Amino acid sequence: MTDSTPSFPPDSAIAIAAAVRRLAEADRLLLALDFDGTLAPFVDVPRGARALPEAKAALDRLEKLPDTWVAYVSGRPLESLEAVTEADEDALLIGSHGVEIRFGRDGVSLDLSDDERTTLDRLGETLGRLVDSVPGTKLEVKPVGFGVHYRTVEGDRGAEVVRRAYEAAGEVSDALTVRDGKDIIEFSVRGADKGDGIERLREYTRATAVLFAGDDVTDEDGLRVLRPHDGDVGVKVGEGETAAQYRVADERAIATLLTLLAEARASR
């Protein structure tokens, strides 16, 4: 675990630069990246998020290199992730925390059982009533659940929203998968996480080394499945406890890291 300070001191810069050089030499390299808060700054209107231009340019360059794959691993529904990443038909995408998978043209469909659909309908009605009663909250519809956003709730009512959401969802089912993220609480009728998604990506690409970067508590599932002894690299963006080997301050630092990696891999 790295130091909890989200700065990027000289010794960390040296260590990350060395890790980038090692990654650049991998036989088969997979870059699996969270989107919001990692490549793109947070915005109040989720559909308006876009990766920083420097990060986008580096990723465009990387995915054109031999034996190099770029994948996005997000809590967003797949349709939303496709839009904000401006993904083409060959993109590798993990949506809804690993529940939805699209491996280019070999995409995987999602099929819910009748019981799951019934629970999902009831959950939407229940959380919808909660959101209607609290100004500043927003309900996000996901393929296997719902997210209650409370970024714009006034004052310190966020904790109240989370408590009430737990209570409301508990009335529907006691077998839901719950994820508490940055200003959002999510409830799903089917369980999966970003670690599952990364393992599927590793298998699909047959990667010999993986870079995963993320900023949220839900990204820790992805960081925990990495294999540092085999050359994998995990990067935490911002503050918080983490299983990552390295930490950077913000999205701009990730853009810089990706630019360095693109240059090193292109010249190997």
Side-chain angles (χ1 to χ4, degrees):
M1 187 175 67
T2 60
D3 186 89
S4 61
T5 305
S7 59
F8 198 14
D11 57 341
S12 294
I14 293 170
I16 292 176
V20 165
R21 287 193 296 271
R22 290 192 296 272
L23 273 175
E25 297 298 323
D27 290 337
R28 300 174 66 86
L29 177 61
L30 168 64
L31 310 178
L33 303 162
D34 175 48
F35 188 76
D36 298 285
T38 300
L39 297 172
F42 284 104
V43 293
D44 289 337
V45 181
R47 66 178 177 273
R50 290 294 184 275
L52 291 176
E54 184 184 358
K56 182 69 165 61
L59 291 172
D60 287 346
R61 185 179 179 187
L62 281 159
E63 68 180 358
K64 293 174 184 175
L65 296 175
D67 300 316
T68 307
W69 290 264
V70 173
Y72 299 98
V73 183
S74 175
R76 284 177 179 261
L78 198 57
E79 184 178 1
S80 173
L81 185 59
E82 289 173 339
V84 296
T85 60
E86 301 172 328
D88 61 26
E89 61 185 2
D90 293 318
L92 303 181
L93 304 174
I94 302 289
S96 302
H97 301 286
V99 172
E100 292 184 290
I101 299 172
R102 201 195 93 184
F103 289 165
R105 302 167 202 225
D106 299 326
V108 177
S109 62
L110 175 70
D111 297 313
L112 292 177
S113 68
D114 290 342
D115 286 344
E116 286 175 326
R117 290 190 182 281
T118 298
T119 301
L120 191 62
D121 289 343
R122 289 184 57 208
L123 183 63
E125 293 171 2
T126 301
L127 294 178
R129 288 193 293 270
L130 169 62
V131 166
D132 288 342
S133 70
V134 183
T137 58
K138 207 178 292 184
L139 189 67
E140 181 181 358
V141 179
K142 293 177 174 283
V144 294
F146 298 88
V148 178
H149 290 266
Y150 52 92
R151 177 185 296 276
T152 57
V153 169
E154 292 184 358
D156 57 355
R157 295 193 66 190
E160 175 193 344
V161 171
V162 171
R163 176 182 58 77
R164 290 180 58 185
Y166 266 103
E167 292 173 353
E171 294 173 0
V172 174
S173 172
D174 60 1
L176 298 172
T177 297
V178 184
R179 294 184 181 87
D180 194 352
K182 287 187 177 178
D183 300 318
I184 182 174
I185 182 76
E186 300 181 35
F187 303 91
S188 303
V189 299
R190 181 177 292 179
D193 59 41
K194 293 186 179 182
D196 298 324
I198 289 174
E199 294 290 48
R200 293 288 299 275
L201 283 164
R202 188 196 298 274
E203 179 183 6
Y204 182 79
T205 61
R206 292 182 289 119
T208 58
V210 178
L211 166 69
F212 178 61
D215 71 300
D216 205 346
V217 292
T218 58
D219 294 310
E220 293 301 312
D221 293 317
L223 291 167
R224 280 191 287 268
V225 302
L226 296 181
R227 308 167 189 172
H229 55 283
D230 290 335
D232 291 353
V233 172
V235 181
K236 168 74 171 179
V237 183
E239 300 178 341
E241 293 294 314
T242 186
Q245 305 118 286
Y246 306 100
R247 186 189 302 273
V248 298
D250 52 28
E251 302 92 346
R252 288 182 178 80
I254 287 292
T256 299
L257 183 156
L258 292 172
T259 300
L260 292 173
L261 181 58
E263 293 171 353
R265 189 144 179 91
S267 62
R268 70 180 177 129

